[in-house]
Amino acid sequence: MLSVLIPTYNYDVGKLVRKVHMQLNASKIMFEIIILEDGSSQDINTKIHLSHTKILVHKHNLGRVKARQFLAKSSKYDWLLFLDADVLPKNDSFISDYINQLNSGYEAVFGGFTYYNERPKKDYVLRWKYGMNKEQVPAHKRNLNPYKVIISANYLIKKTAFETINSKMTNNGYGYDNYFGALLKLKQISILHIDNEVYHLGIEKSSNYLNKKEQAAETLIRLYSANTITTHDNDLLSLFSYLNRYGLAVIFSGIHKLLRPLMKYNLTGSNPSIKVLQLYRISYMCYISRNGTPVME
């Protein structure tokens, strides 16, 4: 009845799989757990030997989007629970809380993200701070605008709905959660947000995360320019569209070129500002939309 799908790349998912497996066994539901080693170069998860659990190996890295498509095609049940490798369920009722939604009438259920309160090392603060401010959102707020806060690291979806959405996603890259949310809205997939969070464990260095934010901005611009995203609830894209429409993008492009070193200094430091990050992102979008390539450093 339930397929739990976990793509991983050089990451130990043992603790996650054992915790989920224990809860699945207690639920008495028919289930399978499929782990995809997506081009991993390390044999980290070979010691996982659990019932109804298998590890698939792909020699070459498929990437985030195609890895999930591969897992979905390899699954045998009607409901799919996607979990990123670097998460851990917050509650012992994690699986049962999702099972309770199988007959709710919704086609997708998003559990949410949370973070430990302990501040990480100074080189890692940006990812943690952004998550605490922008991703750790209670379900009642997410349900006010259900297609806005879409985090695909922890969600349940009907297989038919997933196939409908992901058939439109043909590229890989960082930032496709925004497109995923737009497609959910476009296809009118009924979604529900619940408080069934996972802890996000894989907090990367601030410099790496900033690079990923740039990649996400590039993805948004590419989709926007190709008129691929026609309906969405993405604040950043709405702001870009407004600036572009009224000829203000050129100003923000100049701001990015001028202030980029100072913004990066703040964002990779020990006390990054989320407001500075938002300015960095929108000004970066404006810059690359006009120049085609990032600022040369």
Side-chain angles (χ1 to χ4, degrees):
M1 183 179 288
L2 179 62
S3 297
V4 180
L5 309 178
I6 307 171
T8 181
Y9 174 74
N10 291 334
Y11 197 93
D12 185 354
V13 297
K15 188 174 182 179
L16 167 63
V17 173
R18 286 189 292 271
K19 187 164 189 174
V20 169
H21 186 271
M22 182 176 64
Q23 292 186 23
L24 285 163
N25 268 334
S27 74
K28 306 300 182 182
I29 195 175
M30 294 176 62
F31 74 90
E32 64 178 348
I33 300 174
I34 308 177
I35 303 157
L36 173 62
E37 290 282 6
D38 187 22
S40 298
S41 59
Q42 303 175 39
D43 295 328
I44 301 173
N45 298 300
T46 53
K47 294 183 180 180
I48 297 175
H49 301 291
L50 298 167
S51 61
H52 311 293
T53 302
K54 62 182 178 182
I55 300 176
L56 304 179
V57 177
H58 203 278
K59 291 184 178 180
H60 304 288
N61 186 265
L62 294 170
R64 189 178 181 88
V65 174
K66 291 183 179 180
R68 290 178 178 178
Q69 292 171 344
F70 181 84
L71 280 165
K73 289 179 181 178
S74 303
S75 66
K76 63 182 179 181
Y77 293 121
D78 294 335
W79 284 94
L80 312 177
L81 174 56
F82 282 98
L83 296 172
D84 275 6
D86 60 348
V87 304
L88 195 66
K90 180 180 179 181
N91 300 313
D92 292 335
S93 60
F94 178 75
I95 290 296
S96 61
D97 286 347
Y98 270 133
I99 291 174
N100 289 338
Q101 301 299 328
L102 294 180
N103 296 314
S104 64
Y106 290 96
E107 297 173 272
V109 182
F110 290 82
F113 238 24
T114 192
Y115 289 79
Y116 290 110
N117 288 325
E118 183 180 355
R119 192 180 183 92
K121 295 178 181 178
K122 64 179 183 179
D123 291 346
Y124 293 79
V125 174
L126 180 63
R127 181 67 186 96
W128 173 79
K129 201 169 184 179
Y130 181 83
M132 293 279 282
N133 281 270
K134 297 295 184 179
E135 295 174 337
Q136 190 170 274
V137 183
H140 73 273
K141 289 187 178 180
R142 285 184 272 136
N143 280 316
L144 294 175
N145 198 349
Y147 300 100
K148 184 175 181 178
V149 183
I150 297 296
I151 298 175
S152 62
N154 167 34
Y155 76 104
L156 176 75
I157 189 167
K158 215 167 186 179
K159 190 172 184 177
T160 51
F162 178 84
E163 290 170 343
T164 297
I165 294 298
N166 271 264
S167 65
K168 304 294 182 182
M169 300 178 70
T170 57
N171 295 312
N172 272 304
Y174 194 80
Y176 272 88
D177 274 5
N178 296 316
Y179 187 32
F180 185 51
L183 287 172
L184 287 169
K185 184 175 184 178
L186 178 66
K187 297 297 182 180
Q188 297 183 317
I189 302 297
S190 57
I191 71 173
L192 175 71
H193 293 271
I194 63 174
D195 290 316
N196 196 25
E197 301 92 345
V198 291
Y199 286 109
H200 183 206
L201 307 178
I203 299 177
E204 65 259 80
K205 292 186 72 171
S206 298
S207 56
N208 294 339
Y209 184 60
L210 194 56
N211 287 336
K212 285 187 174 181
K213 280 302 184 186
E214 290 183 353
Q215 294 172 33
E218 291 164 12
T219 297
L220 272 179
I221 288 296
R222 184 168 61 253
L223 295 171
Y224 174 85
S225 300
N227 202 32
T228 303
I229 297 181
T230 56
T231 179
H232 63 89
D233 289 324
N234 184 275
D235 288 343
L236 195 68
L237 192 54
S238 295
L239 178 56
F240 172 78
S241 180
Y242 174 86
L243 295 173
N244 202 44
R245 186 182 311 120
Y246 292 100
L248 300 174
V250 62
I251 297 175
F252 278 79
S253 174
I255 288 173
H256 186 83
K257 186 174 183 179
L258 180 65
L259 298 182
R260 179 180 172 92
L262 289 175
M263 290 191 290
K264 288 189 73 172
Y265 180 80
N266 172 268
L267 296 173
T268 56
S270 59
N271 189 28
S273 166
I274 299 303
K275 289 182 178 180
V276 171
L277 177 60
Q278 300 301 71
L279 175 60
Y280 186 96
R281 294 171 69 198
I282 188 61
S283 63
Y284 182 79
M285 287 180 69
C286 291
Y287 185 89
I288 61 173
S289 71
R290 293 184 59 80
N291 296 279
T293 57
V295 179
M296 296 298 293
E297 297 183 66

